[in-house]
Amino acid sequence: MRNLILTLTATVFFGGLAPAAVLIYEPFDYATTGNTNGDGAFLGDGNQSGALGLDGTWSTEINNVEMEVRDEAMAFTDDAGNALSTAGLSIRRSGRSGFTTNSIAVDPAATAALTADNTTMWMSFLYVDEGFSGPDSSVMLASEPLALANNHTLISPGVGVGILIGESAPAANATVETGYYLGSTETARTQSTLNPNDFENEVFLLAAKINWKPNGTPDEIFVFDITDLTTEPTEFEAIASDTFDMWLVEQQSLDTLNIGETQIDGFDEIRFGTTFSDVAPATDGPGLDGDYNS
């Protein structure tokens, strides 16, 4: 049962990136904006700031329909009934016309801690497709803000890495994908076979593992559909993977968190850290021993 709606408390603190293990955490713990498009209240209206590891306020570009802060949280339980630790609310577009892009600056200390060579960066977020085709959704760490949600285009050539839900070709089945930018405004991507639109209103916990290698050695990205919060997935369990060679100076320019959306899809609980347990903290459940990840 992935799509149970509930609110749990996540215990995270931020002060020079310690003592929290997770380095970026966005639970959308803001005042709700409602679901009325065009009323002046939306994600990026200047009233959302203060999340862990993020700097400044969310900004937005809106084409027709806004991204709203919903009045309820998304939640996730794994196949054994263990619940993801959550806080705050969630975000969703109330209509599928046009697109929205949302961007916020990342604290430089968080970027530095997440992008060193010979280290691993993990990211995760909750995602739900609410019954419409969802060809253009993304959560990416990049050097530039998004210009368009369609095809996940940056405002200028840059670098970035993350997870997409997109079409390989017009009218193709939209699938979860790896994604990266390498000196371009356009993403390079590798498809999986997972199409969230086949699971209407089902909440997925999507995660990516990025292995940063020295200059000249390909970096690696692996994307996972998480079904077990108690065990780190192996790279062989990835639903999609790819390699790219991003140099250290480029990795350390990943100072913008981007969310893009063209449909009626929801996002919540965005996390970046250096281990799987950083980005998949669970409350007590049948598969947990005591206070794992608490």
Side-chain angles (χ1 to χ4, degrees), residues 1-5 70 74 92 127-134 194-204 264-266:
M1 294 176 60
R2 301 176 189 245
N3 59 340
L4 176 66
I5 299 296
R70 305 178 62 169
M74 290 167 56
R92 186 188 69 173
Y127 176 80
V128 63
D129 186 315
E130 301 206 348
F132 295 92
S133 172
L194 175 62
N195 175 18
N197 188 234
D198 290 338
F199 304 89
E200 181 176 344
N201 295 319
E202 186 166 332
V203 175
F204 288 85
I264 309 178
D265 295 349

PDB file of all heavy atoms in Angstrom, residues 1-5 70 74 92 127-134 194-204 264-266:
ATOM      1  N   MET A   1       0.851  -1.190   0.000  1.00  0.00           N
ATOM      2  CA  MET A   1       0.000   0.000   0.000  1.00  0.00           C
ATOM      3  C   MET A   1       0.883   1.234   0.000  1.00  0.00           C
ATOM      4  O   MET A   1       1.295   1.742   1.022  1.00  0.00           O
ATOM      5  CB  MET A   1      -0.911   0.002   1.223  1.00  0.00           C
ATOM      6  CG  MET A   1      -1.942  -1.107   1.235  1.00  0.00           C
ATOM      7  SD  MET A   1      -2.898  -1.094   2.754  1.00  0.00           S
ATOM      8  CE  MET A   1      -3.627   0.540   2.654  1.00  0.00           C
ATOM      9  N   ARG A   2       1.216   1.724  -1.200  1.00  0.00           N
ATOM     10  CA  ARG A   2       2.105   2.855  -1.291  1.00  0.00           C
ATOM     11  C   ARG A   2       1.394   4.175  -1.047  1.00  0.00           C
ATOM     12  O   ARG A   2       2.020   5.158  -0.681  1.00  0.00           O
ATOM     13  CB  ARG A   2       2.739   2.935  -2.684  1.00  0.00           C
ATOM     14  CG  ARG A   2       3.554   1.722  -3.100  1.00  0.00           C
ATOM     15  CD  ARG A   2       3.997   1.958  -4.515  1.00  0.00           C
ATOM     16  NE  ARG A   2       4.607   0.798  -5.099  1.00  0.00           N
ATOM     17  CZ  ARG A   2       5.866   0.736  -5.462  1.00  0.00           C
ATOM     18  NH1 ARG A   2       6.646   1.744  -5.265  1.00  0.00           N
ATOM     19  NH2 ARG A   2       6.345  -0.352  -6.022  1.00  0.00           N
ATOM     20  N   ASN A   3       0.084   4.246  -1.322  1.00  0.00           N
ATOM     21  CA  ASN A   3      -0.561   5.541  -1.414  1.00  0.00           C
ATOM     22  C   ASN A   3      -1.389   5.909  -0.195  1.00  0.00           C
ATOM     23  O   ASN A   3      -2.335   6.669  -0.295  1.00  0.00           O
ATOM     24  CB  ASN A   3      -1.428   5.618  -2.685  1.00  0.00           C
ATOM     25  CG  ASN A   3      -2.508   4.556  -2.717  1.00  0.00           C
ATOM     26  OD1 ASN A   3      -2.409   3.571  -2.028  1.00  0.00           O
ATOM     27  ND2 ASN A   3      -3.514   4.769  -3.526  1.00  0.00           N
ATOM     28  N   LEU A   4      -1.037   5.392   0.961  1.00  0.00           N
ATOM     29  CA  LEU A   4      -1.669   5.813   2.200  1.00  0.00           C
ATOM     30  C   LEU A   4      -1.298   7.260   2.480  1.00  0.00           C
ATOM     31  O   LEU A   4      -0.154   7.653   2.376  1.00  0.00           O
ATOM     32  CB  LEU A   4      -1.156   4.926   3.340  1.00  0.00           C
ATOM     33  CG  LEU A   4      -1.615   5.258   4.757  1.00  0.00           C
ATOM     34  CD1 LEU A   4      -3.119   5.017   4.886  1.00  0.00           C
ATOM     35  CD2 LEU A   4      -0.848   4.420   5.766  1.00  0.00           C
ATOM     36  N   ILE A   5      -2.301   8.114   2.820  1.00  0.00           N
ATOM     37  CA  ILE A   5      -2.034   9.493   3.138  1.00  0.00           C
ATOM     38  C   ILE A   5      -1.962   9.644   4.650  1.00  0.00           C
ATOM     39  O   ILE A   5      -2.896   9.329   5.368  1.00  0.00           O
ATOM     40  CB  ILE A   5      -3.126  10.424   2.576  1.00  0.00           C
ATOM     41  CG1 ILE A   5      -3.164  10.301   1.049  1.00  0.00           C
ATOM     42  CG2 ILE A   5      -2.915  11.860   2.994  1.00  0.00           C
ATOM     43  CD1 ILE A   5      -1.896  10.766   0.363  1.00  0.00           C
ATOM     44  N   ARG A  70      -0.011  21.431  -1.614  1.00  0.00           N
ATOM     45  CA  ARG A  70      -1.269  20.765  -1.246  1.00  0.00           C
ATOM     46  C   ARG A  70      -1.501  20.836   0.251  1.00  0.00           C
ATOM     47  O   ARG A  70      -0.585  21.111   1.033  1.00  0.00           O
ATOM     48  CB  ARG A  70      -1.224  19.300  -1.665  1.00  0.00           C
ATOM     49  CG  ARG A  70      -0.922  19.071  -3.121  1.00  0.00           C
ATOM     50  CD  ARG A  70      -0.839  17.599  -3.447  1.00  0.00           C
ATOM     51  NE  ARG A  70      -2.106  16.903  -3.210  1.00  0.00           N
ATOM     52  CZ  ARG A  70      -2.342  15.663  -3.616  1.00  0.00           C
ATOM     53  NH1 ARG A  70      -1.418  14.982  -4.254  1.00  0.00           N
ATOM     54  NH2 ARG A  70      -3.497  15.097  -3.384  1.00  0.00           N
ATOM     55  N   MET A  74       2.101  13.400   1.115  1.00  0.00           N
ATOM     56  CA  MET A  74       2.158  12.077   0.523  1.00  0.00           C
ATOM     57  C   MET A  74       2.874  11.164   1.505  1.00  0.00           C
ATOM     58  O   MET A  74       3.614  11.628   2.374  1.00  0.00           O
ATOM     59  CB  MET A  74       2.921  12.115  -0.809  1.00  0.00           C
ATOM     60  CG  MET A  74       2.161  12.832  -1.907  1.00  0.00           C
ATOM     61  SD  MET A  74       3.195  13.199  -3.347  1.00  0.00           S
ATOM     62  CE  MET A  74       3.797  11.566  -3.778  1.00  0.00           C
ATOM     63  N   ARG A  92       1.644  19.628  -6.096  1.00  0.00           N
ATOM     64  CA  ARG A  92       0.964  19.033  -7.237  1.00  0.00           C
ATOM     65  C   ARG A  92       0.404  20.139  -8.118  1.00  0.00           C
ATOM     66  O   ARG A  92       0.015  21.203  -7.636  1.00  0.00           O
ATOM     67  CB  ARG A  92      -0.191  18.133  -6.787  1.00  0.00           C
ATOM     68  CG  ARG A  92      -0.844  17.359  -7.927  1.00  0.00           C
ATOM     69  CD  ARG A  92      -2.086  16.634  -7.462  1.00  0.00           C
ATOM     70  NE  ARG A  92      -3.151  17.572  -7.138  1.00  0.00           N
ATOM     71  CZ  ARG A  92      -4.397  17.212  -6.827  1.00  0.00           C
ATOM     72  NH1 ARG A  92      -4.720  15.945  -6.761  1.00  0.00           N
ATOM     73  NH2 ARG A  92      -5.308  18.110  -6.559  1.00  0.00           N
ATOM     74  N   TYR A 127       6.749  10.266  -5.701  1.00  0.00           N
ATOM     75  CA  TYR A 127       6.149  10.701  -6.970  1.00  0.00           C
ATOM     76  C   TYR A 127       4.844   9.945  -7.190  1.00  0.00           C
ATOM     77  O   TYR A 127       4.772   8.741  -6.954  1.00  0.00           O
ATOM     78  CB  TYR A 127       7.104  10.417  -8.128  1.00  0.00           C
ATOM     79  CG  TYR A 127       6.534  10.750  -9.492  1.00  0.00           C
ATOM     80  CD1 TYR A 127       6.527  12.052  -9.960  1.00  0.00           C
ATOM     81  CD2 TYR A 127       5.995   9.747 -10.295  1.00  0.00           C
ATOM     82  CE1 TYR A 127       6.001  12.360 -11.201  1.00  0.00           C
ATOM     83  CE2 TYR A 127       5.464  10.051 -11.543  1.00  0.00           C
ATOM     84  CZ  TYR A 127       5.469  11.359 -11.992  1.00  0.00           C
ATOM     85  OH  TYR A 127       4.938  11.662 -13.218  1.00  0.00           O
ATOM     86  N   VAL A 128       3.825  10.673  -7.651  1.00  0.00           N
ATOM     87  CA  VAL A 128       2.562  10.034  -7.995  1.00  0.00           C
ATOM     88  C   VAL A 128       2.037  10.624  -9.303  1.00  0.00           C
ATOM     89  O   VAL A 128       2.085  11.827  -9.527  1.00  0.00           O
ATOM     90  CB  VAL A 128       1.515  10.196  -6.859  1.00  0.00           C
ATOM     91  CG1 VAL A 128       1.153  11.653  -6.622  1.00  0.00           C
ATOM     92  CG2 VAL A 128       0.263   9.366  -7.141  1.00  0.00           C
ATOM     93  N   ASP A 129       1.575   9.758 -10.184  1.00  0.00           N
ATOM     94  CA  ASP A 129       0.885  10.145 -11.412  1.00  0.00           C
ATOM     95  C   ASP A 129      -0.600   9.974 -11.159  1.00  0.00           C
ATOM     96  O   ASP A 129      -1.047   8.880 -10.805  1.00  0.00           O
ATOM     97  CB  ASP A 129       1.353   9.253 -12.570  1.00  0.00           C
ATOM     98  CG  ASP A 129       0.792   9.683 -13.914  1.00  0.00           C
ATOM     99  OD1 ASP A 129      -0.421   9.972 -13.987  1.00  0.00           O
ATOM    100  OD2 ASP A 129       1.553   9.716 -14.887  1.00  0.00           O
ATOM    101  N   GLU A 130      -1.353  11.047 -11.309  1.00  0.00           N
ATOM    102  CA  GLU A 130      -2.761  11.003 -10.919  1.00  0.00           C
ATOM    103  C   GLU A 130      -3.697  10.682 -12.081  1.00  0.00           C
ATOM    104  O   GLU A 130      -4.784  11.248 -12.217  1.00  0.00           O
ATOM    105  CB  GLU A 130      -3.140  12.304 -10.224  1.00  0.00           C
ATOM    106  CG  GLU A 130      -2.273  12.535  -8.995  1.00  0.00           C
ATOM    107  CD  GLU A 130      -2.920  13.387  -7.946  1.00  0.00           C
ATOM    108  OE1 GLU A 130      -3.951  14.011  -8.225  1.00  0.00           O
ATOM    109  OE2 GLU A 130      -2.384  13.429  -6.825  1.00  0.00           O
ATOM    110  N   GLY A 131      -3.266   9.766 -12.932  1.00  0.00           N
ATOM    111  CA  GLY A 131      -4.168   9.206 -13.916  1.00  0.00           C
ATOM    112  C   GLY A 131      -4.069   9.783 -15.304  1.00  0.00           C
ATOM    113  O   GLY A 131      -4.827   9.393 -16.191  1.00  0.00           O
ATOM    114  N   PHE A 132      -3.125  10.710 -15.527  1.00  0.00           N
ATOM    115  CA  PHE A 132      -2.919  11.266 -16.851  1.00  0.00           C
ATOM    116  C   PHE A 132      -1.537  10.862 -17.337  1.00  0.00           C
ATOM    117  O   PHE A 132      -0.670  10.506 -16.552  1.00  0.00           O
ATOM    118  CB  PHE A 132      -3.027  12.794 -16.833  1.00  0.00           C
ATOM    119  CG  PHE A 132      -4.398  13.287 -16.484  1.00  0.00           C
ATOM    120  CD1 PHE A 132      -4.733  13.565 -15.163  1.00  0.00           C
ATOM    121  CD2 PHE A 132      -5.366  13.448 -17.458  1.00  0.00           C
ATOM    122  CE1 PHE A 132      -6.000  14.019 -14.831  1.00  0.00           C
ATOM    123  CE2 PHE A 132      -6.631  13.899 -17.140  1.00  0.00           C
ATOM    124  CZ  PHE A 132      -6.954  14.177 -15.817  1.00  0.00           C
ATOM    125  N   SER A 133      -1.340  10.955 -18.645  1.00  0.00           N
ATOM    126  CA  SER A 133      -0.008  10.730 -19.174  1.00  0.00           C
ATOM    127  C   SER A 133       0.943  11.719 -18.526  1.00  0.00           C
ATOM    128  O   SER A 133       0.634  12.903 -18.432  1.00  0.00           O
ATOM    129  CB  SER A 133      -0.007  10.908 -20.695  1.00  0.00           C
ATOM    130  OG  SER A 133       1.306  10.867 -21.195  1.00  0.00           O
ATOM    131  N   GLY A 134       2.080  11.249 -18.067  1.00  0.00           N
ATOM    132  CA  GLY A 134       3.030  12.134 -17.404  1.00  0.00           C
ATOM    133  C   GLY A 134       4.361  12.167 -18.112  1.00  0.00           C
ATOM    134  O   GLY A 134       5.362  11.694 -17.583  1.00  0.00           O
ATOM    135  N   LEU A 194       9.554   1.102 -16.220  1.00  0.00           N
ATOM    136  CA  LEU A 194       8.553   1.506 -15.239  1.00  0.00           C
ATOM    137  C   LEU A 194       7.784   2.724 -15.733  1.00  0.00           C
ATOM    138  O   LEU A 194       8.362   3.799 -15.909  1.00  0.00           O
ATOM    139  CB  LEU A 194       9.214   1.823 -13.893  1.00  0.00           C
ATOM    140  CG  LEU A 194       8.290   2.374 -12.802  1.00  0.00           C
ATOM    141  CD1 LEU A 194       7.198   1.379 -12.446  1.00  0.00           C
ATOM    142  CD2 LEU A 194       9.097   2.767 -11.565  1.00  0.00           C
ATOM    143  N   ASN A 195       6.480   2.565 -15.944  1.00  0.00           N
ATOM    144  CA  ASN A 195       5.607   3.669 -16.344  1.00  0.00           C
ATOM    145  C   ASN A 195       4.621   3.943 -15.216  1.00  0.00           C
ATOM    146  O   ASN A 195       3.657   3.192 -15.032  1.00  0.00           O
ATOM    147  CB  ASN A 195       4.851   3.322 -17.630  1.00  0.00           C
ATOM    148  CG  ASN A 195       3.850   4.402 -18.013  1.00  0.00           C
ATOM    149  OD1 ASN A 195       3.932   5.530 -17.534  1.00  0.00           O
ATOM    150  ND2 ASN A 195       2.904   4.052 -18.863  1.00  0.00           N
ATOM    151  N   PRO A 196       4.834   5.022 -14.428  1.00  0.00           N
ATOM    152  CA  PRO A 196       3.931   5.285 -13.296  1.00  0.00           C
ATOM    153  C   PRO A 196       2.472   5.477 -13.706  1.00  0.00           C
ATOM    154  O   PRO A 196       1.572   5.269 -12.892  1.00  0.00           O
ATOM    155  CB  PRO A 196       4.516   6.572 -12.693  1.00  0.00           C
ATOM    156  CG  PRO A 196       5.948   6.556 -13.088  1.00  0.00           C
ATOM    157  CD  PRO A 196       5.953   5.960 -14.460  1.00  0.00           C
ATOM    158  N   ASN A 197       2.222   5.863 -14.958  1.00  0.00           N
ATOM    159  CA  ASN A 197       0.854   6.040 -15.418  1.00  0.00           C
ATOM    160  C   ASN A 197       0.074   4.725 -15.442  1.00  0.00           C
ATOM    161  O   ASN A 197      -1.160   4.731 -15.446  1.00  0.00           O
ATOM    162  CB  ASN A 197       0.848   6.683 -16.811  1.00  0.00           C
ATOM    163  CG  ASN A 197      -0.524   7.080 -17.282  1.00  0.00           C
ATOM    164  OD1 ASN A 197      -0.967   6.697 -18.353  1.00  0.00           O
ATOM    165  ND2 ASN A 197      -1.226   7.850 -16.462  1.00  0.00           N
ATOM    166  N   ASP A 198       0.794   3.606 -15.420  1.00  0.00           N
ATOM    167  CA  ASP A 198       0.133   2.303 -15.334  1.00  0.00           C
ATOM    168  C   ASP A 198      -0.380   2.015 -13.925  1.00  0.00           C
ATOM    169  O   ASP A 198      -1.079   1.025 -13.709  1.00  0.00           O
ATOM    170  CB  ASP A 198       1.104   1.182 -15.739  1.00  0.00           C
ATOM    171  CG  ASP A 198       1.421   1.194 -17.228  1.00  0.00           C
ATOM    172  OD1 ASP A 198       0.625   1.753 -18.004  1.00  0.00           O
ATOM    173  OD2 ASP A 198       2.477   0.647 -17.604  1.00  0.00           O
ATOM    174  N   PHE A 199      -0.003   2.874 -12.966  1.00  0.00           N
ATOM    175  CA  PHE A 199      -0.359   2.669 -11.555  1.00  0.00           C
ATOM    176  C   PHE A 199      -0.986   3.945 -11.014  1.00  0.00           C
ATOM    177  O   PHE A 199      -0.424   4.633 -10.153  1.00  0.00           O
ATOM    178  CB  PHE A 199       0.882   2.302 -10.738  1.00  0.00           C
ATOM    179  CG  PHE A 199       1.623   1.105 -11.260  1.00  0.00           C
ATOM    180  CD1 PHE A 199       2.622   1.250 -12.212  1.00  0.00           C
ATOM    181  CD2 PHE A 199       1.312  -0.166 -10.811  1.00  0.00           C
ATOM    182  CE1 PHE A 199       3.314   0.155 -12.696  1.00  0.00           C
ATOM    183  CE2 PHE A 199       1.995  -1.271 -11.292  1.00  0.00           C
ATOM    184  CZ  PHE A 199       2.995  -1.120 -12.243  1.00  0.00           C
ATOM    185  N   GLU A 200      -2.164   4.264 -11.534  1.00  0.00           N
ATOM    186  CA  GLU A 200      -2.819   5.528 -11.206  1.00  0.00           C
ATOM    187  C   GLU A 200      -2.948   5.722  -9.701  1.00  0.00           C
ATOM    188  O   GLU A 200      -3.403   4.844  -8.974  1.00  0.00           O
ATOM    189  CB  GLU A 200      -4.207   5.571 -11.851  1.00  0.00           C
ATOM    190  CG  GLU A 200      -4.970   6.843 -11.601  1.00  0.00           C
ATOM    191  CD  GLU A 200      -6.295   6.864 -12.332  1.00  0.00           C
ATOM    192  OE1 GLU A 200      -6.472   6.032 -13.265  1.00  0.00           O
ATOM    193  OE2 GLU A 200      -7.154   7.693 -11.996  1.00  0.00           O
ATOM    194  N   ASN A 201      -2.512   6.915  -9.226  1.00  0.00           N
ATOM    195  CA  ASN A 201      -2.595   7.329  -7.822  1.00  0.00           C
ATOM    196  C   ASN A 201      -1.729   6.499  -6.880  1.00  0.00           C
ATOM    197  O   ASN A 201      -1.883   6.585  -5.664  1.00  0.00           O
ATOM    198  CB  ASN A 201      -4.039   7.321  -7.324  1.00  0.00           C
ATOM    199  CG  ASN A 201      -4.898   8.350  -8.043  1.00  0.00           C
ATOM    200  OD1 ASN A 201      -4.447   9.464  -8.287  1.00  0.00           O
ATOM    201  ND2 ASN A 201      -6.109   7.966  -8.399  1.00  0.00           N
ATOM    202  N   GLU A 202      -0.809   5.718  -7.410  1.00  0.00           N
ATOM    203  CA  GLU A 202       0.092   4.939  -6.563  1.00  0.00           C
ATOM    204  C   GLU A 202       1.365   5.730  -6.325  1.00  0.00           C
ATOM    205  O   GLU A 202       2.002   6.213  -7.258  1.00  0.00           O
ATOM    206  CB  GLU A 202       0.421   3.601  -7.226  1.00  0.00           C
ATOM    207  CG  GLU A 202       1.228   2.677  -6.334  1.00  0.00           C
ATOM    208  CD  GLU A 202       1.247   1.252  -6.864  1.00  0.00           C
ATOM    209  OE1 GLU A 202       0.289   0.847  -7.539  1.00  0.00           O
ATOM    210  OE2 GLU A 202       2.232   0.550  -6.583  1.00  0.00           O
ATOM    211  N   VAL A 203       1.759   5.877  -5.069  1.00  0.00           N
ATOM    212  CA  VAL A 203       2.938   6.648  -4.708  1.00  0.00           C
ATOM    213  C   VAL A 203       4.189   5.788  -4.837  1.00  0.00           C
ATOM    214  O   VAL A 203       4.265   4.692  -4.279  1.00  0.00           O
ATOM    215  CB  VAL A 203       2.819   7.204  -3.276  1.00  0.00           C
ATOM    216  CG1 VAL A 203       4.117   7.908  -2.864  1.00  0.00           C
ATOM    217  CG2 VAL A 203       1.645   8.170  -3.172  1.00  0.00           C
ATOM    218  N   PHE A 204       5.159   6.290  -5.581  1.00  0.00           N
ATOM    219  CA  PHE A 204       6.447   5.619  -5.763  1.00  0.00           C
ATOM    220  C   PHE A 204       7.529   6.367  -4.996  1.00  0.00           C
ATOM    221  O   PHE A 204       7.526   7.604  -4.949  1.00  0.00           O
ATOM    222  CB  PHE A 204       6.837   5.577  -7.242  1.00  0.00           C
ATOM    223  CG  PHE A 204       6.027   4.636  -8.075  1.00  0.00           C
ATOM    224  CD1 PHE A 204       4.807   5.039  -8.621  1.00  0.00           C
ATOM    225  CD2 PHE A 204       6.462   3.346  -8.313  1.00  0.00           C
ATOM    226  CE1 PHE A 204       4.047   4.175  -9.378  1.00  0.00           C
ATOM    227  CE2 PHE A 204       5.707   2.468  -9.083  1.00  0.00           C
ATOM    228  CZ  PHE A 204       4.497   2.875  -9.613  1.00  0.00           C
ATOM    229  N   ILE A 264      -0.648  16.294 -14.197  1.00  0.00           N
ATOM    230  CA  ILE A 264      -1.186  16.364 -12.835  1.00  0.00           C
ATOM    231  C   ILE A 264      -0.485  15.280 -12.034  1.00  0.00           C
ATOM    232  O   ILE A 264      -1.007  14.195 -11.808  1.00  0.00           O
ATOM    233  CB  ILE A 264      -2.711  16.187 -12.811  1.00  0.00           C
ATOM    234  CG1 ILE A 264      -3.382  17.138 -13.798  1.00  0.00           C
ATOM    235  CG2 ILE A 264      -3.252  16.449 -11.415  1.00  0.00           C
ATOM    236  CD1 ILE A 264      -4.888  16.987 -13.873  1.00  0.00           C
ATOM    237  N   ASP A 265       0.726  15.608 -11.641  1.00  0.00           N
ATOM    238  CA  ASP A 265       1.568  14.688 -10.898  1.00  0.00           C
ATOM    239  C   ASP A 265       1.974  15.352  -9.593  1.00  0.00           C
ATOM    240  O   ASP A 265       1.998  16.581  -9.488  1.00  0.00           O
ATOM    241  CB  ASP A 265       2.824  14.325 -11.688  1.00  0.00           C
ATOM    242  CG  ASP A 265       2.503  13.550 -12.963  1.00  0.00           C
ATOM    243  OD1 ASP A 265       1.345  13.115 -13.115  1.00  0.00           O
ATOM    244  OD2 ASP A 265       3.411  13.388 -13.785  1.00  0.00           O
ATOM    245  N   GLY A 266       2.305  14.547  -8.583  1.00  0.00           N
ATOM    246  CA  GLY A 266       2.688  15.065  -7.281  1.00  0.00           C
ATOM    247  C   GLY A 266       4.097  14.678  -6.891  1.00  0.00           C
ATOM    248  O   GLY A 266       4.611  13.635  -7.308  1.00  0.00           O
TER     249      GLY A 266
END
